[in-house]
Amino acid sequence: DMEEALEGLSNCSAVLFTDDFEKGVENLSQALNLPLSVTQERRFNQRLSFEISSDEISFLTEKLADEISFYEQAKANYHNLYFSF
């Protein structure tokens, strides 16, 4: 249930998103007054090259519709907010 999941997020002191994770960690570091930084311990140096067809995108968009809606709503609610500690 998306409403329940969003309510659960409202109980969190901080919400970070993958597409601006480094900025989120920087903000968290400042809020906590701790020297936090992002490390990439499992980074893959080899880039894979592949293409996703429009049929595959349509299929995945349909199958992940609830997850996409949740992420978009969470981002609208919590993106660029200061942390509450």
Side-chain angles (χ1 to χ4, degrees):
D1 179 38
M2 185 164 69
E3 291 304 316
E4 182 180 348
L6 290 169
E7 184 178 327
L9 273 184
S10 72
N11 295 320
C12 296
S13 299
V15 178
L16 305 177
F17 296 93
T18 56
D19 54 342
D20 60 357
F21 187 70
E22 288 185 26
K23 183 66 176 167
V25 170
E26 180 183 317
N27 290 341
L28 183 61
S29 177
Q30 291 172 0
L32 295 174
N33 197 27
L34 292 171
L36 303 176
S37 63
V38 175
T39 59
Q40 298 180 0
E41 296 178 10
R42 293 190 177 134
R43 184 176 188 156
F44 295 97
N45 291 329
Q46 180 182 6
R47 293 270 183 202
L48 298 177
S49 179
F50 60 92
E51 292 184 26
I52 299 174
S53 71
S54 58
D55 287 343
E56 290 169 318
I57 291 171
S58 295
F59 173 80
L60 291 171
T61 300
E62 181 181 325
K63 293 294 182 187
L64 297 172
D66 291 341
E67 288 81 359
I68 292 168
S69 293
F70 169 73
Y71 185 81
E72 289 172 349
Q73 188 61 53
K75 193 103 194 230
N77 291 354
Y78 298 101
H79 191 250
N80 291 326
L81 289 182
Y82 292 103
F83 302 107
S84 57
F85 297 104

